[in-house]
């Protein structure tokens, strides 16, 4: 794939998209975007500060009455046009996503971009299908019905691991419901969020409906969450930062949606298809270099299959091809930064004192030495209470532990603070049925791990947060439910008035 554009030219006017215009930030601080595959600086820009957030919220607030006043059909038509623009720019989006994230071009081309187009098309349809309770005379003397109305200005924060898809997950349900939005992407991966907003403008969405402020969390992010004109915050990121977001949002009584960390278990019963489980474990643990909150991170394998599983996963991991993200043959790209790569390596290095590193556990040299690469890593025999089992690593590392009884396997799978995703592998419908009931996670896959679809919700339990992305469940979160009640009697003196004053008529 060729370079469809030069990022310095594309964003020469700045990395803030406010009221339909690119502009520089006003924080007085400059940030450099680095290609994690090479360590080279590819773009430098002025970060957003509180004044930029204020301007973006003001633009969104000004655009809200007009956008909220459009019909569901008009919003649907706009989103269908939006999907068509995204489709026409698919190559550019894939190139920019791989450039800033280091993810293999085949992942950007076959997963990130088409998934975003599909999300856009889904919410184009969803815009026309908001439902409430049918009108009825529930009190006998009144007719009641339910309205769903847009909330106002949404302030959302997206992470760096899937910048395009996370921008879509935040923006699309909000605007489909008639809200306007200010999104803060991660400052290290701004390109596709800005391109997404520009594509919406090209599709004819009014200026101010979608605004992007690219700045640091303590400056732009916290100011956005605490802004008095922002009525809802949706945040995707780590659990510690999510707690800080919740603290700020609670102070201003905002509606809050949090999609936080994960430590997904991969539960293999002794009657599972071993080949399928091995392939699923490697794919599920290495997607996006393991930088996925639903990635398979803890494989619990029933003891009769344990040794064979460990051996086969190690062999398959060693065939995974690290390389240039723009080479179609590359399977695994770098981690997002050298700092993050070193953090991942630290987990593995500390685990050598109490567990067995079966394969990987190192950064490659040679032509990849300047990038933030780390080899696919398999760790076995770690204690359940160890750091590498309990903490989110967010890298290409799979930990494998044995279990004996089904009760023990499910207990161990649930034994972390998280609850975002899980999978269970078995040919027995009763075993898998039990797993779907008892695994405490927002998504449970059976004999697969990772696939997502626009029609189904994504969100977690416990320390993984609350609220849903994608699906109609997400759409509903961006609406206010209003009960409307009409008197049908035309009687001036109601019978219930006597409980306040006077006697029964």
């Amino acid at each position: 794939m060729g370079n469809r554009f030069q990022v310095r030219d594309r964003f020469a006017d700045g990395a803030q998209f406010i009221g339909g215009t690119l502009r520089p930030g006003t924080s007085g601080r400059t940030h450099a975007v680095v290609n994690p595959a090479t360590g080279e600086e590819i773009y430098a820009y002025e970060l957003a500060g509180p004044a930029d957030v204020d301007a973006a919220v003001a633009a969104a607030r000004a655009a809200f009455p007009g956008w909220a006043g459009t019909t569901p059909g008009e919003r649907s038509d706009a989103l269908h046009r939006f999907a068509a623009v995204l489709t026409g720019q698919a190559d550019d989006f894939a190139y920019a996503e791989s450039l800033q994230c280091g993810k293999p071009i085949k992942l950007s081309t076959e997963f990130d971009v088409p998934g975003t187009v599909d999300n856009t098309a889904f919410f184009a349809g969803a815009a026309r299908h908001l439902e409430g309770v049918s009108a009825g005379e529930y009190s006998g003397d009144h007719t009641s019905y339910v309205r769903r109305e847009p909330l106002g200005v949404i302030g959302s924060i997206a992470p760096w691991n899937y910048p395009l898809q996370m921008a879509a997950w935040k923006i699309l349900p909000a605007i489909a419901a008639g809200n306007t939005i200010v999104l803060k992407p991660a400052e290290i991966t701004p390109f596709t969020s800005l391109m997404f907003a520009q594509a919406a403008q090209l599709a004819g969405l009014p200026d101010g409906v979608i605004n992007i402020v690219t700045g640091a969390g303590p400056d732009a992010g916290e100011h956005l969450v605490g802004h008095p004109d922002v009525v809802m915050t949706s945040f995707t990121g780590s659990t510690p930062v999510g707690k800080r977001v919740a603290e700020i949002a609670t102070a201003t009584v905002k509606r809050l949606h949090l999609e936080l960390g994960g430590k997904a278990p991969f539960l293999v019963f002794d009657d599972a298809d071993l080949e399928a489980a091995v392939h699923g474990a490697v794919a599920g643990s290495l997607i996006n270099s393991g930088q996925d909150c639903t990635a398979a991170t803890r494989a619990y394998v029933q003891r009769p299959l344990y040794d064979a599983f460990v051996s086969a996963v190690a062999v398959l991991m060693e065939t995974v091809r690290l390389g240039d993200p723009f080479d179609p043959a590359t399977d695994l790209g770098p981690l997002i930064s050298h700092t993050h790569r070193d953090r991942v390596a630290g987990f593995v290095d500390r685990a050598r004192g109490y567990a067995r590193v079966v394969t990987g556990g190192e950064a490659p040299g040679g032509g990849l030495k300047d990038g933030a690469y780390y080899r696919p890593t398999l760790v076995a025999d770690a204690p359940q209470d160890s750091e590498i089992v309990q903490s989110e690593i967010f890298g290409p590392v799979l930990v494998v532990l044995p279990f004996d009884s089904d009760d023990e396997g499910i207990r161990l799978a649930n034994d972390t603070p998280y609850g975002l995703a899980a999978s269970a592998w078995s040919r027995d419908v009763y075993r898998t049925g039990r797993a779907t009931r008892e695994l405490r996670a927002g998504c449970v896959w059976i004999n697969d791990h990772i696939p997502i679809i626009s029609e189904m919700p994504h969100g977690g339990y416990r320390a993984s947060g609350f609220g849903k992305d994608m699906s109609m469940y997400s759409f509903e979160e961006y609406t206010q439910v209003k009960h409307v009640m009409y008197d049908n009697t035309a009687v001036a003196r109601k019978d219930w008035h006597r409980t306040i004053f006077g006697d029964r008529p």
Side-chain angles (χ1 to χ4, degrees):
M1 176 180 293
N3 184 342
R4 298 284 179 152
F5 59 88
Q6 293 291 331
V7 294
R8 289 184 173 89
D9 296 335
R10 180 68 177 261
F11 305 116
D13 293 328
Q16 318 303 326
F17 188 80
I18 299 173
T21 303
L22 282 174
R23 63 172 77 172
T26 62
S27 69
R29 297 169 53 206
T30 300
H31 182 79
V33 178
V34 174
N35 179 350
T38 64
E40 296 174 346
E41 179 181 314
I42 52 179
Y43 177 64
Y45 67 96
E46 295 80 10
L47 289 164
D52 304 299
V53 173
D54 291 342
V57 172
R61 186 178 181 187
F64 174 70
W67 182 245
T70 58
T71 66
E74 289 169 335
R75 293 197 293 274
S76 176
D77 288 346
L79 289 174
H80 278 300
R81 295 194 304 270
F82 191 6
V85 172
L86 293 171
T87 300
Q89 297 181 359
D91 285 353
D92 280 356
F93 273 99
Y95 171 82
E97 195 77 337
S98 288
L99 181 67
Q100 66 183 354
C101 298
K103 62 181 65 185
I105 193 64
K106 65 179 181 181
L107 182 65
S108 296
T109 302
E110 299 178 30
F111 182 71
D112 297 76
V113 174
T116 299
V117 173
D118 187 71
N119 264 263
T120 308
F122 171 80
F123 282 108
R128 305 186 79 144
H129 291 93
L130 268 181
E131 297 179 355
V133 178
S134 299
E137 286 69 50
Y138 299 98
S139 79
D141 291 339
H142 305 82
T143 295
S144 289
Y145 69 89
V146 168
R147 290 177 55 89
R148 284 193 175 273
E149 298 176 346
L151 300 169
V153 177
I154 311 300
S156 293
I157 300 175
W160 49 258
N161 58 334
Y162 290 102
L164 176 59
Q165 290 205 78
M166 294 298 100
W169 288 13
K170 301 304 181 192
I171 290 170
L172 292 170
I175 66 172
N179 303 285
T180 56
I181 189 166
V182 178
L183 174 74
K184 192 200 87 65
E187 63 270 28
I188 59 177
T189 55
F191 300 152
T192 46
S193 298
L194 293 165
M195 292 167 64
F196 193 72
Q198 290 176 314
Q201 184 183 48
L202 189 60
L205 275 74
D207 293 344
V209 171
I210 301 173
N211 305 274
I212 309 294
V213 289
T214 310
D219 299 327
E222 292 198 3
H223 191 66
L224 177 62
V225 173
H227 199 289
D229 290 334
V230 169
V231 297
M232 175 180 171
T233 289
S234 178
F235 170 81
T236 296
S238 71
T239 297
V241 177
K243 291 178 181 179
R244 175 60 179 158
V245 169
E247 180 182 305
I248 298 170
T250 300
T252 50
V253 199
K254 285 178 171 52
R255 186 177 294 193
L256 184 61
H257 165 217
L258 298 174
E259 197 266 89
L260 306 177
K263 191 71 177 174
F266 187 100
L267 185 61
V268 182
F269 294 104
D270 58 12
D271 66 336
D273 181 326
L274 180 61
E275 182 182 15
V278 167
H279 281 78
V282 173
S285 63
L286 299 185
I287 184 172
N288 202 34
S289 297
Q291 299 167 131
D292 186 310
C293 49
T294 63
T297 61
R298 299 176 291 135
Y300 295 97
V301 183
Q302 206 150 24
R303 205 169 294 275
L305 294 183
Y306 181 73
D307 290 338
F309 180 90
V310 171
S311 177
V313 167
V315 168
L316 189 56
M317 277 188 169
E318 288 166 4
T319 70
V320 172
R321 298 163 297 187
L322 281 70
D324 177 1
F326 292 103
D327 183 344
T330 293
D331 297 321
L332 194 73
L335 295 170
I336 191 64
S337 69
H338 290 79
T339 299
H340 184 58
R341 191 268 311 276
D342 293 345
R343 176 184 177 275
V344 170
F347 277 99
V348 177
D349 290 343
R350 290 189 295 274
R352 296 180 197 277
Y354 55 79
R356 176 167 55 104
V357 177
V358 182
T359 189
E362 63 182 4
L368 301 180
K369 63 180 177 58
D370 293 330
Y373 290 89
Y374 197 73
R375 293 194 186 281
T377 300
L378 180 65
V379 177
D381 306 330
Q384 175 67 14
D385 62 356
S386 62
E387 174 194 50
I388 204 164
V389 173
Q390 293 292 324
S391 299
E392 187 173 32
I393 301 172
F394 225 57
V397 179
L398 177 64
V399 183
V400 188
L401 299 88
F403 70 93
D404 291 304
S405 68
D406 290 14
D407 288 348
E408 181 190 18
I410 290 175
R411 177 181 61 79
L412 292 172
N414 284 330
D415 183 28
T416 72
Y418 299 104
L420 188 58
S423 65
W425 299 72
S426 171
R427 293 183 173 96
D428 186 326
V429 66
Y430 297 103
R431 270 179 155 171
T432 57
R434 179 187 179 188
T436 64
R437 294 189 300 274
E438 297 186 16
L439 289 173
R440 296 198 297 272
C443 175
V444 177
W445 293 285
I446 299 300
N447 296 322
D448 208 343
H449 194 108
I450 283 299
I452 55 175
I453 50 176
S454 297
E455 290 82 359
M456 290 291 113
H458 174 85
Y461 289 19
R462 300 182 291 162
S464 291
F466 49 82
K468 300 299 180 184
D469 286 313
M470 301 196 296
S471 79
M472 292 300 293
Y473 295 96
S474 169
F475 189 32
E476 291 174 356
E477 290 196 26
Y478 291 90
T479 66
Q480 178 67 53
V481 174
K482 177 185 288 185
H483 170 213
V484 178
M485 196 173 197
Y486 281 93
D487 170 59
N488 293 330
T489 66
V491 173
R493 295 182 62 193
K494 305 290 195 297
D495 185 55
W496 71 268
H497 291 178
R498 69 185 178 83
T499 62
I500 314 301
F501 68 93
D503 300 317
R504 185 186 295 275

